[in-house]
């Protein structure tokens, strides 16, 4: 059985780690380099760095900050935000990223998924999907959740897998920052539909929520931010708890 992964997420705006609720009301959560160092030391399986305003501000990811974070950690490192070409990917990989996450640019130019997967491999290609449940339907949103589309979460997930994505990072906008638990119904449906790993994001508030998303949501990894940034949940304690629930986890 493959072990489940615990992934802290650094949402970056103006060079600082921030966190909000339902993608709004962003508050400062600390220095990204210090947080990254802490997570690598305390047993995080991977780290995700999302420059959340890069697309909206029509600029590239903060390269120097990516380089600094990469230099302090020894765990797989995924970077997203403002990536719109293979050249952008090349630059990030040369500055310390192990994988890249594309979101809005993948919807606008789906061929980008094929191009990245072909050049760097599926294992390097993560497609992030931000979706909101509206009248019972999960719809994809772009530009940090600000732009609605008519694209169904499930249709899009099938397409990104077909195009060569190695992993899907699904964030439920309804659950984001609420600390009420992950969107396990949608996650379970996603994991039945596709054959690539699904990272659950949005809603972590307790250790039970992590267990639920692995058992009920069938997620392969769980990503969280504020519960880790503000020391509400410590990763070593979380992993021991999950182990006690008979969930395969790397201690």
């Amino acid at each position: 059985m493959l072990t489940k992964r615990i992934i802290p997420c650094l949402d970056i705006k103006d060079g600082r780690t921030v966190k909000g609720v339902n993608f709004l009301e962003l508050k400062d959560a600390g220095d990204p380099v210090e947080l990254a160092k802490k997570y690598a030391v305390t047993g995080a399986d991977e780290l995700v760095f999302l420059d959340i305003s890069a697309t909206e501000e029509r600029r590239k990811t903060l390269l120097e900050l990516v380089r600094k974070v990469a230099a302090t950690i020894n765990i797989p490192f995924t970077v997203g935000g403002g990536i719109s070409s293979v050249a952008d990917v090349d630059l990030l990989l040369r500055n310390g990223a192990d994988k890249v996450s594309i979101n809005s640019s993948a919807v606008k130019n789906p061929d980008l998924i094929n191009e990245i997967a072909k050049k760097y491999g599926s294992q390097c290609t993560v497609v992030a999907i931000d979706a909101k449940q509206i009248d019972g339907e999960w719809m994809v949103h772009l530009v940090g959740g600000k732009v609605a589309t008519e694209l169904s979460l499930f249709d899009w997930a099938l397409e990104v897998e077909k195009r060569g994505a190695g992993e899907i990072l699904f964030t439920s906008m309804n659950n984001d920052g609420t600390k009420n638990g992950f969107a396990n119904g949608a996650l379970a449906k996603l994991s039945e539909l596709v054959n690539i790993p699904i990272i659950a994001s949005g809603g972590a508030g307790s250790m039970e929520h992590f267990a639920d998303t692995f058992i009920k949501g069938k997620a392969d990894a769980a990503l969280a931010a504020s519960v880790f940034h503000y020391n509400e949940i410590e990763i070593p304690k979380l992993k021991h708890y999950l182990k006690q629930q008979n969930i395969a986890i790397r201690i």
Side-chain angles (χ1 to χ4, degrees), residues 47-66:
L47 183 69
V48 168
F49 174 115
L50 298 176
D51 187 341
I52 60 171
S53 54
T55 299
E56 188 182 9
E57 293 167 9
R58 291 187 171 82
R59 60 169 173 78
K60 303 302 179 194
T61 314
L62 300 163
L63 257 192
E64 192 184 338
L65 194 51
V66 168

Side-chain angles (χ1 to χ4, degrees), residues 10 13 21 27 32 61 97 108 117 166 172 227:
L10 304 175
K13 187 172 171 61
V21 177
K27 293 187 176 76
T61 314
K108 290 169 187 167
S172 161
V227 289

Side-chain angles (χ1 to χ4, degrees), residues 223-243:
L223 177 144
S226 58
V227 289
F228 296 144
H229 300 338
Y230 303 127
N231 297 313
E232 292 162 24
I233 296 176
E234 293 171 20
I235 292 172
K237 286 182 181 170
L238 171 61
K239 287 190 157 190
H240 281 290
Y241 166 79
L242 294 171
K243 194 96 171 162

Side-chain angles (χ1 to χ4, degrees), residues 5-11 23 46-52 77-81 83 99-104 106-107 113 122 124-132 138 140-142 153 156-157 160-161 165-173 176 182-183 186-187 190-191 194 196-203 213 219-225:
R5 290 168 288 147
I6 300 297
I7 308 176
C9 181
L10 304 175
D11 289 320
F23 286 39
E46 299 187 17
L47 183 69
V48 168
F49 174 115
L50 298 176
D51 187 341
I52 60 171
F77 183 34
T78 302
V79 178
I83 298 167
K99 309 185 213 179
V100 293
S101 169
I102 53 173
N103 190 333
S104 301
V107 174
I113 305 168
S122 289
C124 174
T125 313
V126 180
V127 174
I129 306 177
D130 299 331
K132 193 178 200 175
W138 284 95
V140 174
H141 284 58
L142 309 181
L153 161 66
W156 181 229
V160 304
E161 178 184 32
E167 209 160 21
I168 290 171
L169 167 52
F170 162 56
T171 301
S172 161
M173 292 174 63
D176 176 71
F182 295 91
L187 283 159
L190 270 179
S191 67
V194 300
I196 54 175
I198 305 289
I199 304 169
S201 167
T213 205
D220 299 279
L223 177 144

